[in-house]
């Protein structure tokens, strides 16, 4: 609208970064050539961008929800794709959105968890409850207020302190894109095993473990979905549609187990289907391994890794102290086609 290219020159900024001289392990074969730091610490890519905007007049207190570029937030959308050696062309890993999130990627409404550490460090959220859903469903399978047919909610009988590995309500689990797998408290294994046996059928010999298993894709998709309930970001919940499948209060199966009132109207749910927590071996196709581990001692830092984030656009909104989740295909090629068709 009357703007010339010169008027955008101020957006360029000098990025400080380090160089690596040697790579080992997975860095020799995976798609990535390095690491882009996006945590809330000095030197992070997004924070350098934010500081540049502030020097050029950006007012952090004037943020709005009108879709304008906001340098205090970014979004990651991970797709499960082959390693780089199997990719012939294109972008196969997903999408990174700077300045906000992109509704074109969303299969469900975005809902927000409270970021317990908004000022510095990791992105930390608090687990309120955990369930297993039968038949490998996702929240995208919900239709308005209606729960998919034949889906059963099975509660993992564990208090909030046990779920997070800490009784301190200011602590929780970190959302870390740089960790491949998910690591939860060691003491949670017993309650999870009991719920797993119920979900698989008491008469079956299905036991949850982290050993490789010979399975078909159909058998994997029939495994339970892990449903996590998180402390919601109260101010953001008011703007979410009332029947959004990501809000805990829309799930009768969650409310039925909420006898102590610990789950509030602001809390949210995130579904992790078996296709995300089960990983097929590259060297031995047909062998699958469960990548949610119950290994962390009491007080240790538990981690929701990239297999938890997969299949969602995850919005890290540092300025508002919240982390958003919307289910997504995270297919960049499909996204470009749909965007260009608008």
């Amino acid at each position: 609208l009357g703007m010339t290219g010169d008027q955008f020159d101020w957006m360029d900024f000098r990025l400080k970064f380090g160089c690596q001289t040697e790579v080992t392990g997975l860095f020799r074969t995976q798609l990535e050539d390095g690491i882009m730091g996006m945590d809330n610490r000095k030197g992070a890519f997004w924070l350098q961008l934010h500081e540049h905007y502030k020097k050029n007049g950006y007012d952090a207190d004037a943020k709005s929800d009108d879709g304008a570029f906001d340098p205090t937030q970014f979004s990651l959308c991970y797709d499960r794709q082959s390693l780089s050696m199997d990719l012939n062309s294109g972008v196969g890993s997903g999408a990174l959105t700077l300045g906000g999130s992109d509704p074109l990627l969303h299969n469900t409404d975005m809902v927000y968890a409270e970021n317990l550490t908004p000022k510095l460090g990791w992105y930390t959220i608090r687990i309120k409850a955990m369930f297993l859903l039968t038949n490998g469903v996702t929240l995208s399978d919900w239709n308005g207020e209606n729960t998919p047919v034949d889906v059963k909610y099975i509660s993992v009988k564990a208090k909030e302190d046990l779920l997070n590995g800490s009784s301190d309500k200011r602590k929780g689990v970190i959302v870390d894109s740089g960790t491949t797998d998910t690591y939860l408290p060691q003491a949670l294994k017993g309650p999870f095993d009991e719920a797993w046996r119920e979900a698989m059928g008491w008469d079956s010999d299905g036991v949850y473990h982290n050993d490789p298993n010979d399975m078909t894709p159909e058998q994997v998709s029939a495994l339970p979905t892990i449903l996590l309930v998180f402390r919601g970001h109260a101010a953001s919940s008011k703007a979410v549609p009332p029947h959004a499948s990501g809000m805990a209060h829309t799930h009768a199966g969650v409310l039925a187990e909420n006898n102590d009132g610990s789950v509030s109207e602001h809390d949210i749910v995130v579904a992790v289907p078996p296709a995300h927590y089960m990983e097929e071996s590259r060297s031995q196709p047909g062998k699958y391994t469960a990548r949610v581990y119950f290994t962390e001692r009491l007080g240790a830092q538990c981690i929701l890794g990239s297999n938890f984030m997969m299949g969602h656009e995850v919005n890290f909104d540092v300025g508002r102290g919240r982390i958003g989740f919307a289910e997504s295909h995270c297919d960049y090629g499909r996204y470009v086609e749909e965007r260009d068709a608008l």
Side-chain angles (χ1 to χ4, degrees):
L1 297 177
M3 287 186 172
T4 65
D6 293 343
Q7 291 173 280
F8 295 100
D9 286 347
W10 70 269
M11 293 183 178
D12 295 342
F13 71 102
R14 296 184 66 83
L15 176 68
K16 295 180 181 179
F17 62 95
C19 295
Q20 61 185 12
T21 59
E22 182 182 2
V23 292
T24 60
L26 289 177
F27 282 102
R28 296 172 63 89
T29 56
Q30 67 184 6
L31 182 64
E32 296 84 355
D33 289 323
I35 297 174
M36 178 184 284
M38 299 295 280
D39 59 345
N40 191 7
R41 289 184 175 87
K42 185 178 180 180
F45 180 90
W46 75 268
L47 198 49
Q48 291 189 54
L49 176 65
H50 177 226
E51 291 299 321
H52 176 74
Y53 263 65
K54 284 197 333 186
K55 290 177 182 177
N56 284 273
Y58 173 75
D59 184 359
D61 296 323
K63 293 188 293 292
S64 66
D65 290 313
D66 60 1
F69 187 92
D70 178 0
T72 67
Q73 57 176 300
F74 63 92
S75 298
L76 298 176
C77 203
Y78 283 170
D79 190 10
R80 183 187 285 287
Q81 291 286 349
S82 303
L83 296 176
S84 59
M85 64 185 70
D86 300 319
L87 290 172
N88 295 319
S89 63
V91 178
S93 52
L96 163 65
T97 302
L98 296 173
S101 66
D102 196 328
L104 193 58
L105 283 167
H106 300 172
N107 294 334
T108 61
D109 295 298
M110 182 164 278
V111 295
Y112 295 92
E114 179 185 351
N115 180 11
L116 305 182
T117 52
K119 300 298 183 183
L120 181 69
W122 303 109
Y123 303 105
T124 309
I125 56 182
R126 183 83 176 171
I127 304 175
K128 301 288 287 290
M130 179 186 288
F131 293 81
L132 297 181
L133 304 183
T134 55
N135 297 329
V137 295
T138 66
L139 299 185
S140 302
D141 296 317
W142 263 248
N143 179 18
E145 297 179 85
N146 300 320
T147 301
V149 178
D150 297 330
V151 171
K152 182 180 179 182
Y153 292 76
I154 300 166
S155 175
V156 176
K157 304 293 187 182
K159 297 294 185 181
E160 187 176 328
D161 294 355
L162 178 56
L163 291 166
N164 294 276
S166 174
S167 59
D168 189 341
K169 297 295 190 291
R170 297 168 299 176
K171 295 182 179 180
V173 296
I174 64 172
V175 182
D176 180 22
S177 62
T179 301
T180 305
D181 302 324
T182 290
Y183 299 88
L184 296 176
Q186 192 177 66
L188 185 58
K189 182 68 162 61
F192 186 88
D193 282 347
E194 185 174 352
W196 183 269
R197 287 194 296 271
E198 182 178 351
M200 298 295 289
W202 290 111
D203 57 345
S204 75
D205 58 358
V207 176
Y208 183 86
H209 57 77
N210 301 111
D211 298 325
N213 248 2
D214 290 315
M215 302 182 73
T216 66
E218 292 74 23
Q219 289 174 317
V220 171
S221 63
L223 292 174
T225 289
I226 301 172
L227 187 77
L228 292 161
V229 182
F230 295 109
R231 182 192 298 174
H233 187 263
S236 301
S237 65
K238 301 172 184 177
V240 177
H243 302 308
S245 59
M247 296 303 297
H249 66 77
T250 66
H251 293 260
V254 171
L255 298 180
E257 295 289 336
N258 190 32
N259 299 322
D260 58 359
S262 59
V263 177
S264 81
E265 62 178 338
H266 305 299
D267 292 338
I268 70 164
V269 296
V270 176
V272 185
H276 295 176
Y277 66 79
M278 297 294 294
E279 184 174 60
E280 186 176 13
S281 170
R282 301 298 184 196
S283 60
Q284 295 178 289
K287 279 195 178 294
Y288 290 82
T289 302
R291 295 295 189 182
V292 175
Y293 297 91
F294 298 91
T295 54
E296 305 311 293
R297 297 185 182 277
L298 183 66
Q301 182 61 72
C302 298
I303 302 172
L304 301 170
S306 60
N307 61 351
F308 160 79
M309 299 172 61
M310 189 183 300
H312 299 85
E313 189 184 40
V314 182
N315 174 236
F316 297 86
D317 188 345
V318 183
R320 293 179 178 83
R322 64 185 187 176
I323 299 176
F325 297 90
E327 288 193 355
S328 172
H329 54 76
C330 293
D331 184 328
Y332 187 75
R334 172 178 163 183
Y335 165 78
V336 170
E337 290 182 5
E338 293 177 352
R339 180 200 65 191
D340 292 347
L342 293 176

